[in-house]
Amino acid sequence: RQSRTGRCGDGETGRKSTSPRHPLSPSPAHTQGVLSPQMSQPKIVILGGGFGGVFTALDVAGSADVTLVTDDDHFLFTPMLYEYLSGEVEAWHIAPKYSELLDKNVRCLQNGAAAVDLNTQNVSLEGSGETLNYDILVLATGGVSNYAGVEGAKEHSLAFRKLAHADNLRARMVAALDRIPPDMAPQDVRRELTFVVVGAGASGCELSTKMADLLKDAFKRRALQGAPLTACRNATMSNNPFPWEEEQPPPLPPLTPARPAYGQPACSMR
């Protein structure tokens, strides 16, 4: 987490906004009824720059003094994160800078909240020690990875929620492939290249099938024997925190051989 205070998206990496308002911004009618008529430019502090925080900021922009506090300089459209892993989309497709996305009337601070005092209606920021006074506080900090209290799960697994997580996973996949010589026995290849995705929701299923597709393509281009295994399990962490160890998880169904050309160079696994 970064603990510096600054305008989100400022700096050399941020692109200049070409429009004062993002095309997805709601119509002014959507803000009617959100704020009391008796309020005159109330101070709204929004903690969190995900879907809830961003669309709240877009809704009330112009009707209040809005400050958005988030620890990143960009929004992330997480449903497409697996396509960033494969190279089908670039970072700027799914992670626009807040300076491009938000209304110009919204103040965006790249920071974290250290404390909230509900009595004085103040938010203390990390690092800078700056205090934000509010009339309305919006908590939109999102979710966190749930390791269900399993010791070692956090240290020995990879999260998949941010661009950096996708970059890390892709690097791990490439490194694992680099350790496989062309003459390694198929059963040894399976042991060295078994990936388990815990969580069989939309993200888990999409991620596991994309990983299987990328690894299958890499095997062909590297002329490796055997096949990697990518298993997606909706595991219940109870007595055995890793239930897939009890039996060999079945491989995913084979994918259609005809794939779009843009997926072929996705993982640079040559």
Side-chain angles (χ1 to χ4, degrees), residues 134-240:
Y134 65 84
D135 297 307
I136 299 172
L137 177 65
V138 179
L139 297 178
T141 51
V144 296
S145 297
N146 182 8
Y147 299 98
V150 176
E151 185 177 353
K154 182 177 182 179
E155 292 76 15
H156 300 287
S157 63
L158 304 177
F160 195 72
R161 290 179 175 273
K162 297 177 176 289
L163 291 178
H165 295 158
D167 291 334
N168 187 19
L169 175 57
R170 184 173 180 273
R172 294 287 189 97
M173 294 169 67
V174 173
L177 284 163
D178 287 343
R179 293 193 297 267
I180 306 299
D183 58 350
M184 179 178 281
Q187 63 271 22
D188 295 332
V189 171
R190 174 62 62 88
R191 184 185 66 248
E192 295 294 326
L193 284 175
T194 295
F195 297 87
V196 177
V197 178
V198 181
S203 296
C205 290
E206 294 281 11
L207 175 60
S208 60
T209 53
K210 185 60 64 177
M211 290 175 64
D213 196 17
L214 292 171
L215 291 167
K216 180 180 178 181
D217 178 68
F219 261 58
K220 290 181 179 179
R221 288 187 281 115
R222 290 177 177 231
L224 299 178
Q225 303 182 53
L229 172 63
T230 304
C232 183
R233 283 298 181 91
N234 197 7
T236 300
M237 295 185 177
S238 53
N239 294 331
N240 183 1

Side-chain angles (χ1 to χ4, degrees), residues 1-5 45-49 67-72 109-117 122-132 134 137-141:
R1 175 188 294 268
Q2 299 187 41
S3 58
R4 63 179 179 84
T5 302
V45 173
I46 303 170
L47 301 183
T67 300
L68 176 71
V69 180
T70 177
D71 55 2
D72 285 316
L109 299 179
Q110 187 179 351
N111 209 319
V116 175
D117 190 326
N122 286 317
V123 175
S124 300
L125 301 183
E126 294 179 345
S128 66
E130 181 180 355
T131 300
L132 303 177
Y134 65 84
L137 177 65
V138 179
L139 297 178
T141 51

